[in-house]
Amino acid sequence: MKNNFRNFIKNLILIGLTIVQFMANVHAQNSKTNVYVWDFKTNDDTIEKFAEKFTEDFETELIKLEKYTVLQRRNHSQVLMHRDMENRISNVENLSTDTVDKLKTIKAEMVVFGELMEDEESGIYEVIVFFQNLDNGEIPKKESIIIEKALIKSNSHRKKYMKSLIMKLHAKEILEAKNEQLGFISKKMDTYMVRVKDVQTAFEDIINLALKNEDYFKELENTINAYNKIFMDLNANQEKHLLDFESVFGKAYGRDLETAYNGILNDIHKKHILKLNNIRKKILDFRGGQNSKNERERLGKEIIRDSENSTLGLTVAIDKVEDELDQLFIKIKTEMRE
């Protein structure tokens, strides 16, 4: 009866923890700032159509950033009506009370304003964008980008300009995300490389002693167990690690990490570590067997020979993956310093 009651309490606690975790996840998903992108203004009617296109392109790139909940303008007719009446507005403080109320009704927290201007003397265009808090008028972000006059009619170039502008506006957050992701994945990979080198060293240096001495055999087992722990982590979370890395550093660097990752899973582990595991099993048979002295000597020599052959191939595979990771991390760090 007591055991049933204990199990009931344990299950109740687990359910409670699950609910708390679920609510935390929901809160995290809903914690993005709600942003409304106001139509970019311009004082030159001849380039007004480009201001509209830049507005659309900027909004699209902002959505791709996945940092905000972007309230798409076409879905909010009440705000659209006020926006059309105030299309020259470029600051929260100049919005009418009714417009502010309508924006708050759709739960907007931040408004993005932009302006397209032409510098006739320099022969360039400039887009200036800033984020402004709807409640207190604070401007946490403001940036601009120069656009070559000949490229303003190019759809692909306009999109690239707006993507660059988004990156400039969020340079600090992007750098923080890169530092966090690089620190995370490099620590994982460093841990793996240390553990696999420990296995390599163990099978090179203490294999002969592990055949006869319990303490050395336990040391070998502990080394293998430490390796298995980090390997199972990398293997189980491969897709998540690669997707998270690519989302921060892009597809090119994502492919480089995947190459190194495949080197770990396929070249190092499948081709070499699994062979060493077979040798470990032979050691167990050797230590527990009741074979004749000659047979034990033959088996012992076979184990040592197999271990030497396997660790030679393992050394090459480790060096290759380590070189790939070093090159990847050096390229990323160099780019981040620029």
Side-chain angles (χ1 to χ4, degrees), residues 108-207:
E109 301 169 82
M110 196 91 67
V111 181
V112 177
F113 293 102
E115 183 173 6
L116 172 61
M117 298 180 296
E118 180 181 5
D119 187 332
E120 294 182 1
E121 292 183 3
S122 302
I124 54 94
Y125 293 104
E126 182 178 17
V127 175
I128 300 172
V129 167
F130 63 89
F131 287 63
Q132 191 168 22
N133 191 294
L134 191 58
D135 283 329
N136 57 27
E138 289 183 357
I139 299 175
K141 296 181 183 298
K142 184 174 182 179
E143 273 295 350
S144 64
I145 194 163
I146 301 299
I147 298 167
E148 293 180 38
K149 205 165 188 176
L151 299 177
I152 196 170
K153 294 181 180 180
S154 167
N155 183 46
S156 60
H157 282 93
R158 285 196 306 270
K159 293 182 186 302
K160 288 179 180 178
Y161 279 125
M162 289 303 97
K163 184 174 182 178
S164 296
L165 185 52
I166 290 283
M167 297 299 104
K168 288 180 71 176
L169 284 159
H170 298 87
K172 181 181 178 181
E173 293 92 334
I174 291 169
L175 183 59
E176 288 175 352
K178 285 183 175 182
N179 279 324
E180 182 179 355
Q181 180 59 218
L182 182 61
F184 172 81
I185 203 68
S186 62
K187 184 177 180 180
K188 289 284 184 184
M189 292 302 175
D190 286 348
T191 300
Y192 176 83
M193 298 310 293
V194 168
R195 295 289 179 261
V196 74
K197 287 178 182 179
D198 286 345
V199 170
Q200 174 196 30
T201 301
F203 275 91
E204 284 180 342
D205 294 349
I206 68 171
I207 188 72

Side-chain angles (χ1 to χ4, degrees), residues 237-338:
N237 295 292
Q238 177 185 8
E239 185 175 1
K240 183 180 186 307
H241 290 338
L242 291 175
L243 287 175
D244 288 349
F245 188 83
E246 184 178 306
S247 70
V248 173
F249 290 106
K251 291 184 178 180
Y253 285 146
R255 285 193 295 269
D256 289 344
L257 179 63
E258 187 173 11
T259 297
Y261 221 116
N262 288 334
I264 288 172
L265 301 183
N266 297 321
D267 294 338
I268 293 179
H269 189 81
K270 289 182 180 179
K271 288 184 181 179
H272 301 290
I273 294 296
L274 293 183
K275 288 182 181 179
L276 292 178
N277 191 51
N278 290 332
I279 294 171
R280 172 182 164 275
K281 292 176 182 178
K282 287 184 179 181
I283 296 173
L284 284 170
D285 293 339
F286 175 89
R287 289 174 56 78
Q290 302 296 322
N291 299 320
S292 65
K293 181 179 179 182
N294 289 338
E295 179 63 17
R296 286 176 63 79
E297 286 181 359
R298 185 197 67 77
L299 185 58
K301 289 179 181 179
E302 180 182 303
I303 289 171
I304 293 172
R305 184 184 67 249
D306 289 347
S307 179
E308 289 175 348
N309 292 335
S310 294
T311 51
L312 283 174
L314 178 59
T315 300
V316 175
I318 289 174
D319 288 345
K320 182 175 181 294
V321 171
E322 191 169 41
D323 184 57
E324 290 170 347
L325 288 171
D326 285 345
Q327 289 186 42
L328 171 60
F329 295 152
I330 287 171
K331 282 193 294 185
I332 287 174
K333 289 175 182 177
T334 300
E335 184 179 282
M336 288 171 64
R337 292 191 189 104
E338 292 176 351

Side-chain angles (χ1 to χ4, degrees), residues 31-242:
S31 62
K32 294 180 181 179
T33 301
N34 293 334
V35 172
Y36 187 93
V37 180
W38 200 262
D39 277 358
F40 289 8
K41 77 167 191 173
T42 181
N43 293 322
D44 185 346
D45 292 338
T46 63
I47 58 173
E48 186 172 349
K49 64 180 180 180
F50 296 118
E52 293 174 3
K53 293 180 184 297
F54 278 125
T55 307
E56 292 289 339
D57 293 337
F58 185 89
E59 184 182 65
T60 299
E61 292 302 327
L62 195 62
I63 292 169
K64 290 180 183 178
L65 189 64
E66 296 185 346
K67 178 177 173 59
Y68 306 97
T69 299
V70 181
L71 305 169
Q72 295 194 47
R73 295 161 296 126
R74 65 182 68 87
N75 296 335
H76 302 291
S77 57
Q78 290 181 321
V79 178
L80 282 173
M81 179 181 67
H82 286 267
R83 185 207 66 194
D84 291 340
M85 291 187 295
E86 302 173 353
N87 59 3
R88 296 294 185 183
I89 297 296
S90 60
N91 194 298
V92 163
E93 295 172 0
N94 301 127
L95 293 175
S96 68
T97 303
D98 284 345
T99 304
V100 172
D101 290 341
K102 296 302 181 187
L103 286 166
K104 289 184 177 180
T105 298
I106 64 171
K107 301 188 184 305
E109 301 169 82
M110 196 91 67
V111 181
V112 177
F113 293 102
E115 183 173 6
L116 172 61
M117 298 180 296
E118 180 181 5
D119 187 332
E120 294 182 1
E121 292 183 3
S122 302
I124 54 94
Y125 293 104
E126 182 178 17
V127 175
I128 300 172
V129 167
F130 63 89
F131 287 63
Q132 191 168 22
N133 191 294
L134 191 58
D135 283 329
N136 57 27
E138 289 183 357
I139 299 175
K141 296 181 183 298
K142 184 174 182 179
E143 273 295 350
S144 64
I145 194 163
I146 301 299
I147 298 167
E148 293 180 38
K149 205 165 188 176
L151 299 177
I152 196 170
K153 294 181 180 180
S154 167
N155 183 46
S156 60
H157 282 93
R158 285 196 306 270
K159 293 182 186 302
K160 288 179 180 178
Y161 279 125
M162 289 303 97
K163 184 174 182 178
S164 296
L165 185 52
I166 290 283
M167 297 299 104
K168 288 180 71 176
L169 284 159
H170 298 87
K172 181 181 178 181
E173 293 92 334
I174 291 169
L175 183 59
E176 288 175 352
K178 285 183 175 182
N179 279 324
E180 182 179 355
Q181 180 59 218
L182 182 61
F184 172 81
I185 203 68
S186 62
K187 184 177 180 180
K188 289 284 184 184
M189 292 302 175
D190 286 348
T191 300
Y192 176 83
M193 298 310 293
V194 168
R195 295 289 179 261
V196 74
K197 287 178 182 179
D198 286 345
V199 170
Q200 174 196 30
T201 301
F203 275 91
E204 284 180 342
D205 294 349
I206 68 171
I207 188 72
N208 189 34
L209 296 170
L211 292 172
K212 305 168 186 176
N213 189 298
E214 178 68 18
D215 290 338
Y216 284 102
F217 182 73
K218 286 182 178 178
E219 183 180 338
L220 180 64
E221 289 283 275
N222 290 337
T223 301
I224 292 171
N225 289 336
Y227 168 85
N228 286 337
K229 185 177 179 181
I230 183 61
F231 173 78
M232 287 188 290
D233 178 9
L234 291 179
N235 188 44
N237 295 292
Q238 177 185 8
E239 185 175 1
K240 183 180 186 307
H241 290 338
L242 291 175

